[in-house]
Amino acid sequence: MEIIAIFPPYIYSIKYDDKEDNEYDRLFEEWNDLTSVLDFLMQHKDMLKASVWKKVSEPELAARQVLDEAEALELLFKELNSHTTNGEEPDFDSHFHYLDGKYKFELEYEPMKSYGDGRPSLLRMYAIKMDRNTYLITGGGIKLGATIQESPGLKDHVIQNIDKVRTWLKENGIMDADDMEND
């Protein structure tokens, strides 16, 4: 594993040994690929029948929302970087939200989530909070179910990757933003 600076000293991304790209870049590349997004949504179109997705109940509509959310989220990260750098709000801390479930009471290497701007949002990005306004992106994807465990494309890697990265950070003594810069 390797830590890649995206918007230093605030946003970093993990690059897994078996992947070509870091997770931040991989996610935006994936979310902006209409063919793969549409293929994924066609494969799971039954999940779009849930009432929460009534505005995007057809794969083509959901794919359009994914592309729109990805574009907006990428721009938002640039804006949040500028705000955080200038000590303004909203900053990265106001964007990321705690990931409940098994991590509810974690005070170290806190798992967090980021949403796209759709209402409801189809996109999720997961990260570990390393310091004030400092996050390490661990993965993400399109969330179709009520929980990570009910969402194809997330259930097989999100929790596992968060746990793997948390363990790796502990084993390598990486505790905060300064340690990530020196990695």
Side-chain angles (χ1 to χ4, degrees):
M1 269 188 254
E2 181 182 354
I3 294 173
I4 306 296
I6 305 297
F7 295 111
Y10 307 113
I11 299 297
Y12 298 84
S13 183
I14 204 75
K15 182 190 171 297
Y16 296 106
D17 293 336
D18 61 338
K19 300 288 184 190
E20 199 170 302
D21 283 326
N22 68 73
E23 288 300 287
Y24 182 90
D25 290 341
R26 183 191 68 78
L27 287 170
F28 282 110
E29 187 174 311
E30 188 177 287
W31 292 336
N32 283 297
D33 180 349
L34 178 60
T35 303
S36 69
V37 167
L38 197 50
D39 286 348
F40 175 81
L41 292 167
M42 291 294 284
Q43 195 176 1
H44 303 289
K45 65 184 173 189
D46 290 348
M47 296 191 81
L48 293 172
K49 301 296 181 222
S51 62
V52 69
W53 304 122
K54 63 183 170 222
K55 290 183 186 174
V56 292
S57 60
E58 297 299 321
E60 296 80 9
L61 295 172
R64 177 79 267 155
Q65 181 171 324
V66 166
L67 268 62
D68 290 347
E69 281 188 48
E71 181 181 2
L73 189 59
E74 204 162 11
L75 290 172
L76 177 63
F77 266 76
K78 290 175 183 170
E79 182 180 314
L80 292 172
N81 182 57
S82 175
H83 286 195
T84 306
T85 299
N86 295 321
E88 302 167 353
E89 288 196 0
D91 57 10
F92 284 113
D93 280 346
S94 42
H95 174 70
F96 281 91
H97 304 277
Y98 290 100
L99 185 60
D100 289 329
K102 81 180 229 177
Y103 303 111
K104 190 173 188 167
F105 299 107
E106 293 293 333
L107 301 174
E108 178 178 75
Y109 304 114
E110 297 167 291
M112 308 292 281
K113 60 187 169 186
S114 163
Y115 305 96
D117 69 347
R119 294 294 168 248
S121 174
L122 285 161
L123 299 185
R124 294 293 186 282
M125 187 179 287
Y126 299 94
I128 294 171
K129 184 173 183 170
M130 299 299 295
D131 219 333
R132 187 178 187 293
N133 279 310
T134 305
Y135 297 86
L136 176 61
I137 307 298
T138 61
I142 298 171
K143 186 170 183 250
L144 295 175
T147 66
I148 292 170
Q149 293 78 10
E150 296 171 3
S151 297
L154 296 180
K155 68 180 179 182
D156 295 331
H157 65 86
V158 169
I159 301 298
Q160 297 88 330
N161 285 350
I162 289 171
D163 289 343
K164 184 179 2 175
V165 172
R166 291 176 85 225
T167 299
W168 182 80
L169 291 167
K170 289 175 191 174
E171 288 173 351
N172 288 281
I174 302 169
M175 297 296 297
D176 56 25
D178 291 337
D179 295 336
M180 289 195 304
E181 282 293 323
N182 298 322
D183 184 51

